[in-house]
Amino acid sequence: MKLIIQIPCYNEAETLEVALNALPRQIPGIDTIEYLIINDGSRDDTVQVARRWGVHYVVNFRRNRGLAKGFMAGLDACLRNGADIIVNTDADNQYCGEDIAKLVQPILEGKSDIVIGERPIDTTEHFSPLKKKLQHFGSWVVRKASRTTIPDAPSGFRAYSREAAMRMNVVNEYTYTLETIVQAGREKMAITSVPIRTNAELRPSRLFHSMFGYVKKSMVTILRALLMYRPLLCFTIIGGILFLLGFGVGVRFLYFWFTGDSTGHIQSLILASTLMLSGVSTIVVGLQADIIAANRKILEDVQYHVRKLDYDREQEKREAAAGAAGTGAEREQAAGQGKQVEE
């Protein structure tokens, strides 16, 4: 059983070594632990710090491409290098590295495909009261959207089984945390959470610069994920509201008509017709979007099988190279070739 711990990095030279030193070297049930960083266009010595420390893999972006793309590139590199379990953590040492053992346990026991670390939000000192309320509200919205029970949706401290990682797709450019939960709920993956600890803040968050920006981007991400994965529900709700508003205005017009006071209310008839037609049209759009979503699911299944063939082929090549090298130190050396890779 091989675990690869991946860390997205953007100008993390000052904190990366602290985070790396806190990572576990051994975990019961895990045979091999390796480490990977995603260098998201850093302009400081992040990569040099990582290489000096001894990380096994470096995924390198020449310019900053965002957390979501970095996360997906990290998953791809982990899978290509034979990971059975992938853990994602932060370079600012926000999460307690010792809790990785707790994070991977449900996957080792075969109970879950995805495990999300639940932070003690209410007792985290560097979270303002407003941020705590927004974290809880955002998680509630994601639970309703994904039909899951995850209490801390924005948490980036999470573990994926190999199968779950091969099914992940992130299309937004902001963050992977919310969309992947909605996707996992839609795919009915086994997803759970475990309580974890957090460390003192080493630097301010770089994901957002203001609370308003955080809320706006999070809501857009959730809405976009809903429209992609549950379009019929979304458009039916919108269309139903428009139709009911138009129906109400139409009932008002009919009331005046039958009481003999229809003069001057022709605007109500026009408004009612417009709203009801808009509602029906929106529901029709929802039906079309639902068909597109069904085709998307087929494409995702095809993508999963293509990925599986690709990654399994890479695994067979590594095993063949290790077998051809013989036993002992030679085999270990052959198996370790290519660990210092830059993509």
Side-chain angles (χ1 to χ4, degrees):
M1 185 66 70
K2 182 176 182 178
L3 165 67
I4 296 183
I5 302 172
Q6 71 170 33
I7 307 177
C9 298
Y10 178 59
N11 296 332
E12 305 287 1
E14 294 182 3
T15 61
L16 180 57
E17 189 170 359
V18 177
L20 289 170
N21 287 335
L23 298 179
R25 306 298 187 271
Q26 293 181 342
I27 295 176
I30 301 293
D31 302 311
T32 305
I33 300 178
E34 294 179 348
Y35 312 93
L36 175 147
I37 70 159
I38 303 105
N39 173 38
D40 192 12
S42 298
R43 296 184 298 273
D44 62 3
D45 295 331
T46 295
V47 174
Q48 289 78 1
V49 170
R51 291 197 183 279
R52 281 198 306 268
W53 188 87
V55 299
H56 298 83
Y57 314 101
V58 174
V59 177
N60 191 50
F61 291 164
R62 295 182 180 177
R63 59 172 295 181
N64 182 260
R65 298 176 63 185
L67 185 58
K69 290 189 179 298
F71 172 77
M72 288 304 298
L75 287 189
D76 178 70
C78 290
L79 291 168
R80 289 189 182 281
N81 286 282
D84 298 298
I85 301 176
I86 301 167
V87 166
N88 188 89
T89 188
D90 283 358
D92 61 357
N93 200 39
Q94 175 185 172
Y95 308 109
C96 183
E98 294 178 357
D99 288 341
I100 289 178
K102 187 190 301 184
L103 202 65
V104 302
Q105 195 60 37
I107 296 177
L108 290 173
E109 294 173 355
K111 296 179 179 178
S112 294
D113 295 312
I114 302 173
V115 184
I116 308 226
E118 178 190 353
R119 296 168 294 176
I121 293 174
D122 291 327
T123 59
T124 302
E125 294 182 358
H126 60 270
F127 281 5
S128 68
L130 177 60
K131 184 173 181 179
K132 291 176 182 178
K133 292 183 183 299
L134 289 174
Q135 293 274 5
H136 286 306
F137 175 71
S139 295
W140 177 82
V141 172
V142 172
R143 285 196 297 274
K144 294 301 180 183
S146 62
R147 294 179 179 175
T148 63
T149 58
I150 300 303
D152 187 9
S155 172
F157 193 47
R158 46 183 67 189
Y160 293 85
S161 69
R162 185 175 180 84
E163 286 294 310
M166 283 193 286
R167 291 190 179 276
M168 287 294 102
N169 284 295
V170 179
V171 298
N172 81 87
E173 297 183 356
Y174 172 53
T175 179
Y176 62 91
T177 55
L178 308 178
E179 184 178 338
T180 51
I181 294 177
V182 175
Q183 182 185 0
R186 172 186 178 262
E187 296 290 341
K188 293 182 170 55
M189 297 182 190
I191 179 171
T192 189
S193 66
V194 295
I196 53 113
R197 296 165 291 172
T198 56
N199 299 314
E201 187 178 35
L202 296 181
R203 60 158 176 78
S205 173
R206 294 196 181 114
L207 191 58
F208 59 93
H209 301 290
S210 68
M211 198 60 66
F212 174 75
Y214 169 72
V215 172
K216 182 181 70 173
K217 289 183 178 180
S218 296
M219 290 298 103
V220 169
T221 300
I222 294 170
L223 178 61
R224 186 174 181 182
L226 268 175
L227 289 173
M228 281 195 304
Y229 297 114
R230 299 178 67 186
L232 184 58
L233 173 65
C234 293
F235 284 104
T236 299
I237 291 174
I238 296 171
I241 291 173
L242 291 172
F243 185 87
L244 288 175
L245 287 173
F247 183 78
V249 174
V251 169
R252 176 179 178 273
F253 172 80
L254 291 175
Y255 170 78
F256 287 116
W257 176 273
F258 286 115
T259 57
D261 186 19
S262 60
T263 306
H265 296 288
I266 192 66
Q267 297 92 336
S268 296
L269 180 61
I270 296 172
L271 178 60
S273 302
T274 302
L275 287 172
M276 292 176 73
L277 285 173
S278 297
V280 172
S281 300
T282 302
I283 293 173
V284 170
V285 170
L287 292 170
Q288 295 173 332
D290 191 58
I291 295 172
I292 294 172
N295 288 331
R296 175 188 170 87
K297 189 176 187 319
I298 294 172
L299 291 174
E300 286 177 347
D301 289 338
V302 172
Q303 182 188 52
Y304 164 77
H305 289 291
V306 171
R307 282 176 171 174
K308 185 172 177 58
L309 288 172
D310 189 20
Y311 297 141
D312 288 350
R313 191 179 300 116
E314 293 280 345
Q315 181 74 8
E316 290 172 1
K317 287 180 181 179
R318 282 193 305 274
E319 291 175 354
T327 59
E330 291 182 350
R331 175 172 293 182
E332 291 180 5
Q333 183 179 359
Q337 286 179 354
K339 284 187 175 182
Q340 293 288 345
V341 218
E342 192 166 326
E343 298 185 7

